[in-house]
Amino acid sequence: MDAQSPSPVPPPGCPAHNSGGRVPLHGPEFAANPQAYYDYLRHYGPTAPVELAPGVEATLVTDYATALSLLQDSGSFRKDARRWRDLNDGKIAPDSPVAPVLAYRPNCMFSDGAEHLRLRRAVTDSMARVDSRKLNQTTERVSDYLISQFGVRGSADLLGDYAKQLPLFVFNELFGCPADIGDRVLFGITGMFDGVNADKAVEVLFGAVGELVALKRSRPGDDVASWLMQHESKLTNEEMVHQLALLLVAGNEPLRNLIGNTLHRLLTHDTYAYQGGLIDEAIDDTLWENPPMQNLAPHYPAADMEFGGQQVRAGDLMLVSFAAANTGPTLTAARKAGSNRSHLAWSAGPHACPSKDPARQITMTAIENLLNRLPDIALAVPEDSLTWRPGPFNRALATLPARFTPVQPVRRPGAANAAPVPDRHEERVEGRGRRPERAGMWSSFLTWLTK
């Protein structure tokens, strides 16, 4: 190449030569600076060869227009993970760290055609019944409860103490989980994402959701689980369990990351303090530049074809890089022209996020309530000391330490005092069955509401 067209240089620490020429999207180097990897991947063209975990190969779409083409073409690209050729050929180890995210389950995320339409309609219609005013009230109650845990200390990890827990509590209430079932749902989802005894966590989660389905069959209520069950799609018990588990799991990780990443942006960019749409603007900027799920939307070509300048085979694993597409040259002009929500953070096409409006509302309310309660909150450590969780799919901080002026616990209407909150470590131990005398997190929240 001449001096005006230099050869692209792999990002520091990129061991592509050890991955069969594929660029690895795992490890601390990628987590620390994924944009450097996306800049390098663009030299391949609209698509690039990547490795998601040792031995797990995929084609990553990094261009906005190409991503839209894939996401909107349900005839050429399918979602059913049973088509994944490398998995069927035994090339993917059963204990691969990416298997829990990509493996097939009978829900609307992994279905195509008429079956997808039936399952998705049940989900979207049920979520559409959530009253926005009630959702705000629920989020504020959960926010007040969580702040009551750490507010008197004057310091907190806004990931572990707030952003990580708030979506779980909100969804538990929206789905009408009683105390015992809700405790196990929280334990199961937390264990799955924290990697602590993940197999046991999955078993606990699906067992709890199965009990919730049985409960709602006999005693339906005014909640998403009951609405899903009453839908004209007439879901079976198995289908109910998998749709509810999908909503709980898929709704939790992106939402906690969106809350955390937006808080990170607000605490590290002084310019928002001088803008009228403080939180709204920060959410949009986060969805553009630091989306909570940076690489996902697994698809499988229905036949051998050329796509994005590369030959792909039927059953190849293909993922969309929302983060790379959002920050590519094509989107820069659209964003400057004022199209501030034309990003791909919510995906697109028939499998676009069915809950983006509630997710945005929960994020807005959670952050607004936190800033109102703790107006002088600030980052407690230098920004460059923060670390990001490794992995090819999500974009999430490991911790977000903050400091603020201590505040007294919120007094609920009719309450003499805010109820004391159990230590988080002891709750986790109880969740594993070692201290049955301790109440779980959801039980403690329900008790706090009625004190």
Side-chain angles (χ1 to χ4, degrees):
M1 289 191 176
D2 58 34
Q4 294 181 337
S5 302
S7 299
V9 179
C14 173
H17 59 280
N18 293 329
S19 305
R22 293 179 174 270
V23 178
L25 303 187
H26 53 87
E29 295 86 1
F30 173 72
N33 190 6
Q35 280 300 329
Y37 281 70
Y38 301 142
D39 290 342
Y40 174 69
L41 288 171
R42 290 189 183 100
H43 92 271
Y44 287 97
T47 63
V50 298
E51 183 186 66
L52 304 180
V56 182
E57 300 180 350
T59 297
L60 188 70
V61 181
T62 59
D63 172 72
Y64 182 85
T66 308
L68 274 180
S69 175
L70 181 148
L71 293 169
Q72 295 174 344
D73 186 354
S74 56
S76 301
F77 300 97
R78 307 295 173 81
K79 288 287 292 179
D80 190 332
R82 291 173 294 187
R83 292 174 174 268
W84 189 3
R85 192 181 64 256
D86 283 355
L87 181 65
N88 294 334
D89 291 348
K91 294 181 180 179
I92 308 300
D95 60 350
S96 171
V98 301
V101 176
L102 299 175
Y104 172 80
R105 290 185 177 87
N107 59 43
C108 59
M109 180 181 289
F110 293 103
S111 56
D112 298 297
E115 184 68 1
H116 168 251
L117 289 175
R118 183 178 72 89
L119 296 175
R120 172 146 178 133
R121 187 177 296 115
V123 169
T124 55
D125 289 352
S126 300
M127 290 301 297
R129 293 180 63 176
V130 174
D131 179 78
S132 60
R133 187 171 59 89
K134 180 180 178 182
L135 183 59
N136 273 340
Q137 293 172 345
T138 297
T139 305
E140 286 180 3
R141 284 198 301 267
V142 172
S143 173
D144 286 343
Y145 168 69
L146 295 175
I147 294 170
S148 292
Q149 294 190 66
F150 59 76
V152 295
R153 299 200 308 257
S155 65
D157 169 18
L158 295 182
L159 265 297
D161 295 332
Y162 194 70
K164 176 180 175 179
Q165 298 188 51
L166 186 140
L168 290 170
F169 280 67
V170 172
F171 273 81
N172 252 12
E173 184 157 328
L174 290 179
F175 289 7
C177 288
D180 177 58
I181 292 177
D183 285 340
R184 283 178 286 141
V185 166
L186 263 62
F187 168 77
I189 294 178
T190 300
M192 285 178 64
F193 284 108
D194 286 353
V196 179
N197 200 0
D199 290 341
K200 177 63 176 178
V202 171
E203 179 184 340
V204 170
L205 172 64
F206 276 86
V209 175
E211 289 185 29
L212 180 62
V213 170
L215 174 66
K216 296 303 176 182
R217 289 285 187 201
S218 61
R219 286 186 289 161
D222 188 26
D223 53 64
V224 173
S226 299
W227 301 334
L228 192 64
M229 187 172 292
Q230 297 160 4
H231 193 267
E232 63 183 5
S233 297
K234 299 188 181 302
L235 302 182
T236 65
N237 285 347
E238 181 187 22
E239 290 172 337
M240 278 291 304
V241 168
H242 283 280
Q243 306 324 300
L244 286 173
L246 171 65
L247 286 171
L248 285 163
V249 176
N252 168 70
E253 181 71 10
L255 188 50
R256 70 186 261 190
N257 297 347
L258 179 57
I259 294 171
N261 292 359
T262 304
L263 284 170
H264 167 262
R265 191 171 191 93
L266 287 165
L267 295 179
T268 56
H269 292 71
D270 293 336
T271 54
Y272 291 105
Y274 308 102
Q275 297 177 4
L278 171 72
I279 301 172
D280 203 47
E281 186 78 14
I283 292 174
D284 281 323
D285 290 343
T286 298
L287 290 168
W288 274 101
E289 300 175 16
N290 216 19
M293 305 305 292
Q294 55 183 337
N295 305 301
L296 202 55
H299 283 75
Y300 306 89
D304 296 355
M305 68 176 77
E306 181 180 346
F307 183 77
Q310 292 196 39
Q311 290 292 328
V312 293
R313 298 172 58 196
D316 276 353
L317 172 59
M318 302 189 69
L319 268 68
V320 172
S321 178
F322 306 124
N326 282 354
T327 54
T330 304
L331 267 289
T332 303
R335 191 175 178 188
K336 288 181 178 178
S339 303
N340 205 30
R341 295 188 182 176
S342 58
H343 54 72
L344 286 179
W346 304 115
S347 191
H351 286 271
C353 176
S355 303
K356 66 177 182 179
D357 292 334
R360 188 183 186 97
Q361 183 180 350
I362 293 169
T363 301
M364 174 74 74
T365 304
I367 294 177
E368 185 174 49
N369 197 56
L370 180 75
L371 298 183
N372 286 339
R373 292 284 315 283
L374 310 173
D376 63 347
I377 194 166
L379 195 63
V381 298
E383 182 185 356
D384 59 9
S385 70
L386 297 173
T387 58
W388 297 83
R389 289 163 54 197
F393 306 120
N394 62 358
R395 178 63 173 164
L397 284 162
T399 61
L400 186 58
R403 51 180 170 77
F404 46 85
T405 300
V407 296
Q408 292 302 310
V410 168
R411 294 175 182 269
R412 300 303 307 165
N417 293 288
V421 180
D423 176 77
R424 289 176 60 243
H425 172 70
E426 291 183 327
E427 287 168 354
R428 287 197 300 270
V429 172
E430 185 277 326
R432 297 176 192 167
R434 298 180 188 175
R435 292 193 180 182
E437 73 277 6
R438 300 285 298 186
M441 292 188 293
W442 184 242
S443 298
S444 297
F445 170 66
L446 295 178
T447 301
W448 179 80
L449 284 178
T450 57
K451 284 289 186 177

